[in-house]
Amino acid sequence: MEVIILESAQAASELAARLVARRVRELPECTLGLATGGTPKALYAELIRMHHDEGLDFKRVTTFNLDEYLGIPGDHPGSYRREMQKGLFDHLNIPSDRTHLLDGSTHDPIAECAAFENRIQRAGGIDLQLLGIGGDGHIGFNEPTSSLASRTRIKTLTRETRMSHAGHFGGEANVPPHVLTMGIGTILEAEEQVLLAFGESKADAIAATVEGPVTAYVPASCLQMHKNVRIFLDEGAASKLKRARYYRETFAGKPDWQRV
Ligand code: PGA
């Protein structure tokens, strides 16, 4: 795992965006795994800027999103389809039939999850997966105690997660209790993992992810088992890491050929 601590969320997002852009330039037909929520917004803004200012071309890119609320249509104000459409897809040139999100309005969630897994396989797997992290250590919507071998499936949100996502739904009581999410086993199959976490509210989850044991109780700790992981943090999210100094020294001393 490479832990990269920068002075601000903006600086960390810009560096992570360069990693994504490098992947898109090197492999124009790459498959990206995307995340929603507040965390990747600045990274997406930077990708949009690079598309407009530097001609970063997404026309052959395919995307898969981690998760979606179950029981709401894609045009619902809280849906992740809508969030992705407005926040990213409307501003890039990815063909719409290559942007894949789980369908939260499905009447057959099990078939929907199986079809999603098949689509990922048919696309050749995910080359680079972007991840946020919940305060409880979830990735995607894999809440604590999710099987580390899990595949795309239905999950029930914790109260903590419903509270933190209440904004788009006009209160916690309206947040759908169930979601569809890529499983941890699904996520781990991506070739490269890029996790972003900003702010002190993520500090405990990051400390447990990076320096705690691998445990289903902290789903993001599964990343310790992956061979290609970068974790981009601001000072707040890094504030509970015991070995922060070592991670900073490592990053500062990287040879040029290893830099993003
Ligand atoms: P956030 O959500 O980016 O809005 O903090 C992350 C998550 O819950 O996975």
Side-chain angles (χ1 to χ4, degrees):
M1 275 176 153
E2 182 179 359
V3 180
I4 299 168
I5 305 168
L6 293 182
E7 68 280 7
S8 67
Q10 182 63 30
S13 299
E14 286 177 14
L15 189 61
R18 275 167 49 193
L19 201 65
V20 177
R22 185 174 72 182
R23 178 66 81 155
V24 172
R25 286 195 184 99
E26 284 176 1
L27 187 66
E29 66 279 11
C30 70
T31 298
L32 301 177
L34 300 179
T36 44
T39 304
K41 281 196 162 63
L43 184 155
Y44 292 157
E46 182 62 8
L47 291 182
I48 293 166
R49 188 199 65 72
M50 287 191 263
H51 174 61
H52 289 300
D53 296 352
E54 298 170 14
L56 185 63
D57 189 359
F58 290 83
K59 71 171 177 292
R60 290 158 67 193
V61 168
T62 299
T63 69
F64 288 90
N65 264 81
L66 284 164
D67 45 18
E68 180 60 284
Y69 296 98
L70 184 58
I72 58 170
D75 58 359
H76 186 285
S79 92
Y80 283 159
R81 164 54 81 179
R82 189 164 184 269
E83 182 176 317
M84 289 306 301
Q85 208 59 48
K86 293 204 167 306
L88 187 66
F89 300 149
D90 284 354
H91 310 281
L92 299 179
N93 63 335
I94 310 175
S96 58
D97 61 351
R98 292 208 196 164
T99 64
H100 303 284
L101 273 92
L102 286 147
D103 176 8
S105 66
T106 179
H107 295 294
D108 190 346
I110 294 172
E112 173 64 15
C113 290
F116 194 76
E117 289 269 345
N118 283 336
R119 284 201 291 273
I120 294 174
Q121 293 302 323
R122 279 206 305 276
I126 291 171
D127 295 299
L128 184 152
Q129 177 67 57
L130 287 178
L131 298 164
I133 185 170
D136 60 4
H138 70 223
I139 48 173
F141 270 140
N142 294 283
E143 297 286 31
T145 72
S146 288
S147 163
L148 298 184
S150 50
R151 310 302 306 185
T152 304
R153 69 210 183 293
I154 306 172
K155 286 295 288 181
T156 302
L157 295 179
T158 61
R159 172 129 196 269
E160 182 184 352
T161 301
R162 289 204 314 277
M163 281 164 61
S164 68
H165 291 67
H168 289 298
F169 292 91
E172 181 208 330
N174 302 324
V175 179
H178 296 115
V179 292
L180 304 179
T181 180
M182 277 189 210
I184 294 176
T186 319
I187 292 169
L188 285 176
E189 283 173 7
E191 189 185 310
E192 178 177 8
Q193 309 284 345
V194 175
L195 186 145
L196 295 93
F198 306 132
E200 283 179 18
S201 65
K202 303 292 173 71
D204 284 319
I206 286 298
T209 295
V210 176
E211 297 178 340
V214 175
T215 168
Y217 201 66
V218 181
S221 67
C222 71
L223 295 173
Q224 294 178 31
M225 305 291 291
H226 195 279
K227 65 182 188 309
N228 188 356
V229 181
R230 287 194 180 86
I231 300 188
F232 290 85
L233 306 173
D234 67 355
E235 298 287 349
S239 60
K240 295 198 175 164
L241 288 169
K242 293 196 191 79
R243 296 210 177 258
R245 189 171 161 184
Y246 171 63
Y247 312 138
R248 288 182 212 277
E249 284 169 5
T250 304
F251 183 63
K254 279 179 99 61
D256 278 347
W257 62 269
Q258 265 192 344
R259 290 185 179 278
V260 176

